[in-house]
Structures are given as C-alpha cells and as structure tokens.
Amino acid sequence: AHGKGVYEQQCVTCHGATGEGNGVAAASLTPPPRNFHKDTGWKQGRMPSQVFETISKGVPGSAMSAFSTIAAEDRWALAHYVLSLGPSAPPADTAASLMKVGVDTSKADGGSGGGSKSIPIDYAIERLVQEANKQK
C-alpha cells in the first residue's frame, strides 16, 4: 500500500495509473516508459535491488531520471510495488546485488550505520519554518 501511494505521487504521469507505460506524458517520451506488467526488457534487471537502483539513479538515454531525493524506504516500497504488477515474481536478490545498493546483509542494521532515521519532508519544512521564526 505504501509503495502504491508513492507510485501515485511520483510515477503515474509517465507510467500510467495501472503501470502499463501509458501515462499522459508517455506519448512524448522516447524510449517509452516501462510497462510494469511485462517481465521482459528490464534494462537494469528485475531484482528488487536493481529496480531500487533504477529508481535511485535513473536510466541514461531515457526520460527516467534519478529519484534519489525520495527517502530510501519509499524507493524500496516503490520497487516492490512496481514488481508486484508483473505476471510473475521477480528474481530474488543476492547478498551481492543488495551490497551494490548499500545493503549489507551481514549486519543487523543492514549496513545503514545504526538505524539512522529520516523524517517526512513536510514535517522537516515545518520545523525549519518554526526555527526561522524563533530567530526573528
């Protein structure tokens, strides 16, 4: 559900409401956006870590730009959501594929450095405004 919400906010314009690559911007994009309902043609792979990396870094030579400013937990949820649209389960990640995107399965915290937390952007902006108003 969380990944679907992120998808609806970030991806519908190009990939379409149902993930078939038919969003309102799709007609003007070359190459066209990915149809998540197909198992074939994933340029950077279908493992969850590969989709996470695609979301994070984009796809050179296409309109798929990097979305690295989206919180990592949201990118993971988004990766799993778009993979759920396909007709078959994606290939399983390996320790090596996860390590490539910064997940160390040998550590209890996954290599995140002690479970560092993030906060929602709206809350962060609200806090910044409060701090700025205190300084006036």
Side-chain angles (χ1 to χ4, degrees), residues 65-76:
S65 59
F67 286 87
S68 58
T69 57
I70 297 174
E73 63 194 49
D74 293 343
R75 284 180 275 149
W76 279 113

Side-chain angles (χ1 to χ4, degrees), residues 69-127:
T69 57
I70 297 174
E73 63 194 49
D74 293 343
R75 284 180 275 149
W76 279 113
L78 181 55
H80 286 282
Y81 174 71
V82 300
L83 287 168
S84 77
L85 299 175
S88 66
D93 272 311
T94 63
S97 68
L98 289 167
M99 184 70 79
K100 186 175 179 189
V101 295
V103 176
D104 185 348
T105 59
S106 69
K107 296 183 178 178
D109 68 354
S112 68
S116 60
K117 303 290 181 191
S118 64
I119 60 173
I121 292 172
D122 293 343
Y123 178 72
I125 292 171
E126 182 181 314
R127 292 294 307 260

Side-chain angles (χ1 to χ4, degrees), residues 23-104:
V24 295
S28 64
L29 300 176
T30 304
R34 154 128 324 275
N35 178 344
F36 298 118
H37 295 263
K38 294 184 177 181
D39 286 348
T40 59
W42 292 65
K43 292 181 183 180
Q44 295 176 254
R46 273 185 73 235
M47 285 189 281
S49 62
Q50 293 168 323
V51 176
F52 175 86
E53 185 172 35
T54 299
I55 295 165
S56 301
K57 295 181 178 179
V59 178
S62 79
M64 178 61 191
S65 59
F67 286 87
S68 58
T69 57
I70 297 174
E73 63 194 49
D74 293 343
R75 284 180 275 149
W76 279 113
L78 181 55
H80 286 282
Y81 174 71
V82 300
L83 287 168
S84 77
L85 299 175
S88 66
D93 272 311
T94 63
S97 68
L98 289 167
M99 184 70 79
K100 186 175 179 189
V101 295
V103 176
D104 185 348

